[in-house]
Amino acid sequence: MVREKVTVSTRTLQWKCVESRTDSKRLYYGRFILSPLKKGQADTIGVAMRRALLGEIEGTCITRAKSEKIPHEYSTIVGIQESVHEILMNLKEVVLRSNLYGIRNASICVRGPGYVTAQDIASPPSVEIVDNTQHIASLKEPINLCIGLQIERNRGYRIKTPNHFRDGSYPIDAVFMPVRNTNYSIHYYGNGNEKQEILFLEIWTNGSLTPKEALHEASRNLIDLFIPFLHAEKGSFHFEDNQHKASFLPLPIFAFHDRLDKLTKNKKEMKSIFIDQSELPPRIYTCLKRSNIHTLLDLLNNSQEDLMKMEHFHIEDVKQIVDNLEKHFAIDLPNNKL
C-alpha cells in the first residue's frame, strides 16, 4: 500500500494519488485529490467523474457459452459437481484484460477428474486472464468437458433475455464495468470569501486496469462527450412554428477549409482539432484513440509505418487516413519518420 501526505496548493489546479493498494488480484484501490477548487466545482466534477467511471469505461468479459452436451441452462451433467447454471455463473466471474475490438472466440477443453479454473481457458493473444485461479467446475469422473466461449469488449452491462438463446448456446449476464465502486467527498479550507474546496475521489477496480488508468480513461471519455459543444456553430438548430420544436442540423465535419494554410504551420491549431470530427470509421477511430492519438497533431506526429505497427491496423485503414487528410486538409502523411 502506498500513502502520500496531502499538501494543498493555492496556485494552480493539481491532482495527486494519495493512496494506492492492491487488496487482491481482482480488487485494486486508489484515492486521489484535486485542488484548489472554487465553491461548487468539487461537486460538479465529482458527480460527472463518478458517472463516467461507472458507465463510460469499456471492459472485457465472457458473454456466451456453448456446448453440444448441454440440453438447457438448468440441467446437470453426469460427472460434474456443478449444474450448468452454476458453471455459467462462475464464467461470469472471470476477469479479463484486453484491447480487442469486436467479438472473439475462446474455449475450454479439459478431461477429468480434476478442477477446471480460468487457467484452462484458451483465449486469443489479445486477451489476458487477470486471475487464473477463478473456479469454473469440478470434474469427478474421467469425462471430457468442452465449452466454446464468446468474449466481447463493451461498456455498462447487458442482462440476458430469453431471445438471446440460440444454436444451443447460452448467454451470460455481461458486466463490462471494470470499476466496481467509486465515491467522492469534499473538504474545505480557507476563510471567508477565500474558502476553497478539495475533491477526494476513491476508486475500486476489478484488476483489469488500475484506478489511475480508470481515472485517465474516464476523463478522456468525458472530454470526448463535450467535443461537439466546442465546435457547435451559431444557428446549428432553429425553432419552427413557435412550438419550441427544435430541428437540429448536423454539426459540420472539418469545417476548417478557410484555415488550411494556418493548420500546416500552427501546431496549436492542429491540437484543437480532434480525430472524432473526421469521417473515419468507428473501428479506425477506436484504434487511434487506444494508441493515445486524439488530435490532428497527434496523428501527424506519426508516419504511415507507425500506424501499421499499431494493433488491429491494416494497410486499408492507413489508406483511408491518408485519403482523409488529403481531402480535408491537403496534408500528406509521410511513409516513414523523417
Side-chain angles (χ1 to χ4, degrees):
M1 181 174 68
V2 178
R3 287 179 181 270
E4 294 189 23
K5 185 178 180 181
V6 179
T7 56
V8 178
S9 169
T10 58
R11 297 180 180 178
T12 57
L13 194 64
Q14 296 181 349
W15 77 274
K16 189 176 185 180
C17 178
V18 294
E19 186 176 354
S20 176
R21 69 171 186 261
T22 302
D23 294 332
S24 69
K25 289 183 179 180
R26 291 187 290 174
L27 185 59
Y28 288 16
Y29 171 80
R31 190 165 181 250
F32 308 87
I33 63 168
L34 181 67
S35 69
L37 296 165
K38 296 180 180 179
K39 184 179 179 180
Q41 288 183 337
D43 199 46
T44 300
I45 298 172
V47 170
M49 285 303 302
R50 187 175 188 278
R51 294 183 66 90
L53 284 163
L54 293 174
E56 296 297 330
I57 300 180
E58 291 185 343
T60 305
C61 63
I62 299 172
T63 58
R64 187 172 290 274
K66 181 177 181 180
S67 177
E68 296 178 356
K69 296 182 178 180
I70 301 177
H72 57 82
E73 181 182 358
Y74 296 99
S75 63
T76 58
I77 301 176
V78 177
I80 300 180
Q81 179 175 312
E82 293 82 4
S83 67
V84 173
H85 178 73
E86 289 173 325
I87 294 175
L88 294 177
M89 291 301 98
N90 290 336
L91 288 171
K92 177 183 175 181
E93 296 300 319
V94 175
V95 178
L96 303 173
R97 178 191 294 118
S98 80
N99 58 355
L100 63 82
Y101 179 86
I103 298 173
R104 297 289 186 274
N105 294 321
S107 63
I108 298 174
C109 195
V110 180
R111 181 169 178 80
Y115 294 103
V116 182
T117 65
Q119 187 175 1
D120 297 307
I121 298 176
S123 59
S126 59
V127 179
E128 178 186 349
I129 299 171
V130 173
D131 184 7
N132 287 329
T133 65
Q134 168 63 41
H135 179 75
I136 296 175
S138 303
L139 307 185
K140 298 302 183 181
E141 299 179 11
I143 62 172
N144 293 323
L145 176 65
C146 292
I147 303 175
L149 303 174
Q150 178 178 290
I151 296 175
E152 186 177 346
R153 182 180 176 88
N154 212 318
R155 65 184 184 89
Y157 60 89
R158 183 169 63 226
I159 304 300
K160 62 184 179 183
T161 59
N163 62 349
H164 286 166
F165 293 83
R166 64 174 186 269
D167 302 328
S169 64
Y170 300 88
I172 299 173
D173 290 338
V175 183
F176 298 104
M177 304 170 343
V179 175
R180 289 300 185 230
N181 192 20
T182 178
N183 293 320
Y184 76 91
S185 58
I186 304 171
H187 300 263
Y188 305 90
Y189 67 96
N191 297 314
N193 295 330
E194 297 182 357
K195 197 171 185 180
Q196 294 180 306
E197 299 176 343
I198 307 175
L199 174 66
F200 282 80
L201 187 64
E202 295 180 289
I203 303 172
W204 290 263
T205 69
N206 66 357
S208 62
L209 76 174
T210 66
K212 184 177 179 181
E213 290 170 335
L215 183 62
H216 180 273
E217 187 168 342
S219 302
R220 184 74 258 173
N221 290 341
L222 275 177
I223 293 173
D224 290 344
L225 288 174
F226 285 105
I227 284 175
F229 296 107
L230 296 176
H231 298 283
E233 294 185 355
K234 185 176 180 181
S236 59
F237 64 90
H238 60 274
F239 297 96
E240 296 179 349
D241 301 328
N242 296 323
Q243 298 297 318
H244 302 291
K245 295 181 180 179
S247 176
F248 290 89
L249 302 177
L251 291 175
I253 299 177
F254 282 125
F256 307 101
H257 300 287
D258 57 333
R259 295 185 291 170
L260 286 179
D261 293 335
K262 295 181 181 179
L263 277 175
T264 56
K265 301 177 183 179
N266 193 335
K267 288 188 176 182
K268 184 177 180 181
E269 195 78 19
M270 288 188 281
K271 195 173 182 179
S272 68
I273 299 177
F274 292 83
I275 60 171
D276 65 341
Q277 297 169 257
S278 68
E279 297 172 337
L280 296 172
R283 189 182 69 79
I284 296 179
Y285 164 67
T286 301
C287 289
L288 290 173
K289 183 179 174 183
R290 287 173 181 164
S291 298
N292 289 322
I293 297 177
H294 303 288
T295 66
L296 180 61
L297 180 60
D298 295 335
L299 182 57
L300 293 179
N301 284 334
N302 291 271
S303 64
Q304 296 183 33
E305 184 181 16
D306 294 330
L307 296 180
M308 282 298 298
K309 293 178 181 177
M310 296 179 185
E311 192 170 6
H312 307 303
F313 242 79
H314 308 289
I315 185 65
E316 295 82 6
D317 303 329
V318 176
K319 187 177 184 302
Q320 278 191 272
I321 292 175
V322 172
D323 292 343
N324 194 286
L325 290 173
E326 175 65 28
K327 175 182 176 182
H328 295 291
F329 298 102
I331 297 175
D332 185 32
L333 195 66
N335 292 319
N336 303 292
K337 281 280 188 181
L338 298 178

